[in-house]
Amino acid sequence: MRRNWLAESKTIKRLGFGVAVAVTATMLLMAWVGPALWDRRHPTFLDRLESASLDFRFLLRGPRDPGEEIVVVAIDDLSLKELGRWPWSRDKQAGLVKRIGADGAKVIALDIMYLEPEVTEHLSSLRDLMNTAKTAEAASPALRALLQQKLAQADTDQQFVQSLGAVNNAVLALPLVVPMGDANHDGVLPDTRVPDYIARHMFMLVRNASRNERLQPLRAVDYHSPIKPFVERAVSLGHVYTIPDPDGVTRYEYLALRYGARDHYYPSFALEVARLFLDVPRERASLRLGEGVTLEDRFVPSDQKSRMLINYLGPERTFPYVSATDVIHNRVAPGRFQGKLVLIGTTALGTYDQKTTPFSANVPGVEVIATVVENILHGQFLIKNIWSGPLDFGLTLVFGLTLGMILPRMKAVTGAALAISVLVGYGLAAFYLFQRQGIWVGVVYPMATIALTFVSITVLRFMTEEQQKKEIRQMFSSYLSPAIVGELIKDPMKARIGGSRKEVTMLFSDIIGFTSFSEKREAEEVVAQLNEYLNAMTDIVFHWHGTLDKFVGDALVVFWGAPLEQPNHVELAVKCALHMRKRVTELQSQWIAEGKPPLDIGIGINTGMAVVGNIGAEGKKMDYTVIGDHMNLAAKIETFTRTLAYRIVMTEYSAERLKSLIAAGTVPGAPVRIGHVKLTKLGAVSIKGKDRPIVIYGLESLPQGEPSKLEEAVQVDLQLGAEKLGVALARPDPSGGS
């Protein structure tokens, strides 16, 4: 059987909560599956969106000051223009390092690979000559000394080694090879021996060591070491492995990688640079697996894979830049590098590893390293701890279920305001935590739950309300005016099943002498004229916003004041009655012209409390009607129109309201709500079932423009009418009233 939604407010609320539960469960499932997929580097769409939301928070926050500790010496386009294309010979690089060191730099970090010796043709020729001179008897010691001098001048690697020894604070980059995908999680690799000059740069202290792969850094399968003389003169090495997220944005610094069957852990280049600048001995730096790195009393947080979130400062060139050619040509003010951490890297077009960050898609890798170092030096970390996942889970659950309980009970506009407020409020809270506390709180899953719950409940409400509107239209269109039907559609709860006590004004209209009229004519003629009359009266009832209760043969039962509140229900009923009388007069003239009998009507009006509502069997047969003694009273007093000169009769309950309307119209400047009518007191009658007599009044229309009149003195004899109608006249009131 088709479901009736009109009175199913509780069911609709339960359905709304059920929809919210379904949305919440779906989001929780995706939040639970998402991290597992991330480990396989196949994040879900919502995970990608969460990462993008972090980038948006960076843009919303804007750039921040990097401080004065870090300076980037850039091998930029100007440097290549003045000193030749890259790579430069290592004697030029040696000169660059010496000048920076001589100016007092505390740490010099070279983001440059030195994987092979530099052997020029000139150096190779000199070496051949030197070998020949060593074996030739004719070669004098002076010649050998000269060749040795020239050989030293041509050996750029040796000059670079000397520069590293001279500054004694240089850090070099160590490329480690990490395979993509699940290869990182394979079993133990074959034993790979690492030279001592490389191995001495690994972490000396590793805490929380376990076999749990979830707490292990990525595993490297190979390495490309700088040449040995360079490493031996450098103060430290750090790996430079980095990889962007699947959307191409670099968000993480891998603080540690492991290499070899015995799981040696190697720090990142940026971490080593920061450690040296902070004067932390290697033995005071420890790797805490799954937590972060401790540098003496300073803690650098990481995720379970030893990755540190990079807290970017701004777009490229946020840090102070100095051109390498200016350093080599002594165009830099003395003391510019005094006590500074100097990062040397390439920034000229086509010479550097281009990185995409939240601020820009064209950031040199050396500046990303500078950003990581700055985060460590200033403690400006972004944190997304292990509780971030449970927090997302909990907030998604709370938002989904709470809104699922509240929204179905609220109106659409109020619900939308609440959902938007929660959405915006949570977004602002997440941004506050990001900006002020450096905490990355997930926003996509909770906010998506809020939005989807609201949209789903709104769609459900739309579907059920559309069905309710259809049911209301079907239920009321036959006995309500279109205006009232429209109001009920706006608020379906006004048309709920059941009854309620309300004050209403009732109108009972009947054709005088209809029985004799119908007995003397064919049924078809009677029905045709009756339908013409009823159609005309129904239009008038709807025009004055009346509720057409029913047709009882030739009689109309109408009321005002329900289902909508109509404070002026007496006024509407009176105007409707006068309009009906006017229209009957017009129909009488038409019927006489057509040779038809001129039917006449009587109207009774009464005001009082009654039970109003949908009465019947739900989904089968229902009537929206009025039940009560006051309804019967309107029908009883209508019978006085048969014997009196008045065709509209009303009780004292309605008349008292009408008197106030007539009196209000006589006040100068006041609007006239009821005009050109005459209300005449007819007397008091005893009605069966009533404890006291009822005073009745006659109502008639006066010519247009004539002021309304009120006759309180009894001017008609009700005795004859009372005898004919079988009712008793009330005894005279001793006080003089009737």
Side-chain angles (χ1 to χ4, degrees):
M1 184 177 65
R2 183 179 65 85
R3 189 182 189 93
N4 188 329
W5 289 100
L6 190 56
E8 296 288 352
S9 60
K10 290 184 178 179
T11 301
I12 292 172
K13 291 174 183 177
R14 286 195 293 266
L15 281 176
F17 183 71
V19 167
V21 169
V23 170
T24 304
T26 301
M27 298 306 298
L28 291 177
L29 179 62
M30 296 183 69
W32 177 68
V33 172
L37 294 177
W38 180 271
D39 288 343
R40 297 183 177 90
R41 305 204 60 77
H42 297 295
T44 64
F45 169 75
L46 291 179
D47 290 321
R48 289 176 180 263
L49 199 59
E50 181 63 52
S51 297
S53 76
L54 176 66
D55 300 345
F56 178 72
R57 277 172 263 189
F58 276 114
L59 296 174
L60 198 61
R61 184 206 68 191
R64 61 181 179 83
D65 184 17
E68 300 180 354
E69 297 93 340
I70 302 171
V71 177
V72 175
V73 172
I75 302 170
D76 53 9
D77 293 309
L78 178 62
S79 299
L80 268 58
K81 181 179 179 181
E82 293 186 355
L83 298 172
R85 66 181 183 179
W86 182 260
W88 293 338
S89 64
R90 286 177 182 160
D91 58 338
K92 289 182 181 178
Q93 297 182 49
L96 178 65
V97 171
K98 284 182 178 180
R99 290 185 183 278
I100 294 172
D103 196 47
K106 184 175 182 179
V107 177
I108 302 174
L110 292 100
D111 184 27
I112 301 170
M113 304 303 166
Y114 299 103
L115 307 182
E116 297 177 350
E118 183 178 73
V119 181
T120 64
E121 291 185 5
H122 179 54
L123 177 61
S124 180
S125 299
L126 287 175
R127 284 177 176 173
D128 290 340
L129 287 174
M130 188 64 184
N131 291 332
T132 302
K134 287 180 180 180
T135 58
E137 295 181 359
S140 64
L143 177 60
R144 291 192 182 100
L146 178 61
L147 288 174
Q148 188 66 41
Q149 179 183 358
K150 295 296 183 182
L151 188 62
Q153 293 175 353
D155 191 349
T156 56
D157 280 354
Q158 186 59 34
Q159 294 179 42
F160 190 75
V161 168
Q162 292 173 357
S163 70
L164 295 178
V167 297
N168 196 32
N169 61 3
V171 183
L172 300 182
L174 171 66
L176 291 177
V177 179
V178 178
M180 295 290 293
D182 293 335
N184 275 308
H185 306 294
D186 290 341
V188 177
L189 296 176
D191 187 19
T192 304
R193 298 190 179 278
V194 179
D196 290 340
Y197 66 88
I198 298 294
R200 65 186 179 89
H201 297 290
M202 66 182 179
F203 278 103
M204 297 181 67
L205 293 176
V206 179
R207 303 183 185 277
N208 303 334
S210 70
R211 294 293 180 181
N212 187 354
E213 282 292 331
R214 294 181 62 84
L215 299 180
Q216 290 287 348
L218 296 184
R219 184 193 295 277
V221 296
D222 199 1
Y223 72 97
H224 301 292
S225 170
I227 60 177
K228 182 178 179 181
F230 291 4
V231 177
E232 290 177 336
R233 289 301 180 94
V235 294
S236 188
L237 289 178
H239 80 77
V240 287
Y241 172 79
T242 183
I243 189 170
D245 286 344
D247 59 0
V249 180
T250 300
R251 298 188 180 89
Y252 291 93
E253 168 75 3
Y254 290 78
L255 294 177
L257 293 179
R258 53 180 170 154
Y259 178 67
R262 298 179 62 184
D263 282 346
H264 293 163
Y265 299 90
Y266 292 88
S268 72
F269 181 71
L271 180 62
E272 276 296 277
V273 171
R275 179 185 68 80
L276 291 168
F277 188 79
L278 293 170
D279 296 320
V280 177
R282 186 177 301 279
E283 61 272 12
R284 302 294 295 274
S286 64
L287 171 64
R288 296 164 61 178
L289 294 178
E291 298 179 18
V293 174
T294 299
L295 299 177
E296 224 165 32
D297 58 348
R298 189 183 301 259
F299 181 68
V300 183
S302 73
D303 65 6
Q304 292 178 310
K305 307 304 291 183
S306 295
R307 302 183 306 174
M308 185 194 91
L309 272 168
I310 303 175
N311 189 354
Y312 284 100
L313 283 72
E316 61 270 23
R317 303 191 73 85
T318 296
F319 287 87
Y321 268 60
V322 175
S323 177
T325 186
D326 289 341
V327 176
I328 292 175
H329 289 99
N330 291 322
R331 295 197 291 256
V332 178
R336 179 69 179 86
F337 304 121
Q338 181 68 42
K340 299 292 194 297
L341 190 160
V342 180
L343 279 162
I344 303 175
T346 56
T347 63
L349 187 64
T351 65
Y352 65 92
D353 52 336
Q354 180 176 323
K355 305 292 185 182
T356 298
T357 73
F359 287 101
S360 174
N362 190 32
V363 177
V366 66
E367 192 158 0
V368 174
I369 294 171
T371 302
V372 176
V373 175
E374 187 276 341
N375 293 172
I376 297 173
L377 297 185
H378 295 161
Q380 295 288 340
F381 301 115
L382 281 182
I383 302 172
K384 189 177 184 183
N385 284 337
I386 193 171
W387 49 258
S388 297
L391 179 64
D392 275 5
F393 192 94
L395 289 174
T396 299
L397 185 65
V398 169
F399 285 143
L401 298 186
T402 303
L403 291 177
M405 289 188 290
I406 295 176
L407 289 180
R409 291 168 169 77
M410 303 179 73
K411 292 187 177 181
V413 175
T414 309
L418 174 65
I420 292 173
S421 299
V422 174
L423 203 66
V424 173
Y426 180 70
L428 291 176
F431 177 69
Y432 172 83
L433 290 174
F434 167 80
Q435 185 179 28
R436 297 293 185 182
Q437 305 296 327
I439 299 175
W440 179 7
V441 174
V443 297
V444 170
Y445 286 100
M447 294 180 76
T449 302
I450 296 170
L452 290 176
T453 299
F454 169 71
V455 170
S456 300
I457 291 177
T458 300
V459 170
L460 174 66
R461 176 180 286 147
F462 174 78
M463 293 172 62
T464 54
E465 286 184 355
E466 281 296 305
Q467 186 62 33
Q468 286 179 325
K469 290 176 183 178
K470 185 183 297 183
E471 293 172 8
I472 290 171
R473 197 176 297 277
Q474 292 173 350
M475 183 183 301
F476 289 98
S477 59
S478 60
Y479 48 83
L480 288 181
S481 72
I484 295 181
V485 173
E487 289 297 320
L488 288 175
I489 288 174
K490 292 179 182 178
D491 188 0
M493 291 306 297
K494 293 180 180 178
R496 61 186 180 274
I497 305 299
S500 60
R501 290 185 60 82
K502 303 187 72 172
E503 184 183 63
V504 295
T505 295
M506 292 144 283
L507 181 151
F508 186 90
S509 171
D510 194 16
I511 296 178
I512 300 174
F514 180 75
T515 302
S516 60
F517 162 76
S518 60
E519 289 175 348
K520 298 176 183 179
R521 286 164 179 79
E522 296 292 332
E524 292 80 5
E525 181 182 353
V526 173
V527 170
Q529 191 168 353
L530 180 61
N531 284 341
E532 183 179 11
Y533 158 75
L534 292 176
N535 281 331
M537 296 303 102
T538 300
D539 289 342
I540 293 172
V541 169
F542 286 172
H543 174 77
W544 293 105
H545 308 302
T547 300
L548 181 58
D549 187 340
K550 61 177 72 71
F551 296 118
V552 184
D554 60 308
L556 281 83
V557 182
V558 187
F559 59 88
W560 286 262
L564 301 180
E565 297 294 335
Q566 293 172 303
N568 60 335
H569 49 82
V570 174
E571 177 185 348
L572 293 172
V574 169
K575 289 180 177 179
C576 180
L578 294 171
H579 194 170
M580 290 171 69
R581 287 295 309 160
K582 179 182 177 182
R583 181 64 178 136
V584 165
T585 302
E586 296 171 351
L587 287 173
Q588 287 174 340
S589 300
Q590 174 187 327
W591 288 330
I592 292 173
E594 295 174 351
K596 299 177 182 179
L599 302 177
D600 201 1
I601 63 170
I603 299 174
I605 300 175
N606 180 44
T607 299
M609 299 298 295
V611 177
V612 187
N614 276 307
I615 311 298
E618 183 178 333
K620 296 178 180 178
K621 173 64 177 175
M622 293 186 297
D623 285 320
Y624 190 78
T625 188
V626 175
I627 298 176
D629 186 55
H630 277 282
M631 189 70 216
N632 300 330
L633 186 56
K636 289 178 180 179
I637 66 168
E638 184 273 333
T639 59
F640 281 95
T641 62
R642 306 293 193 275
T643 58
L644 302 175
Y646 295 92
R647 290 294 181 258
I648 303 176
V649 178
M650 65 175 57
T651 66
E652 57 185 288
Y653 308 117
S654 301
E656 291 301 322
R657 305 287 185 89
L658 182 58
K659 288 178 187 179
S660 62
L661 293 175
I662 293 173
T666 62
V667 177
V672 178
R673 294 170 62 179
I674 296 289
H676 54 85
V677 297
K678 181 180 179 182
L679 181 64
T680 304
K681 186 175 183 180
L682 302 180
V685 294
S686 295
I687 303 295
K688 184 178 179 180
K690 290 294 182 181
D691 295 335
R692 68 177 186 84
I694 303 298
V695 179
I696 61 174
Y697 288 77
L699 179 67
E700 57 186 326
S701 181
L702 297 177
Q704 186 76 25
E706 189 172 334
S708 296
K709 298 179 181 179
L710 175 62
E711 295 287 350
E712 289 286 1
V714 177
Q715 299 180 7
V716 296
D717 185 5
L718 296 179
Q719 184 64 43
L720 179 60
E723 293 174 355
K724 290 183 178 181
L725 298 173
V727 297
L729 286 175
R731 294 180 179 180
D733 188 340
S735 64
S738 297

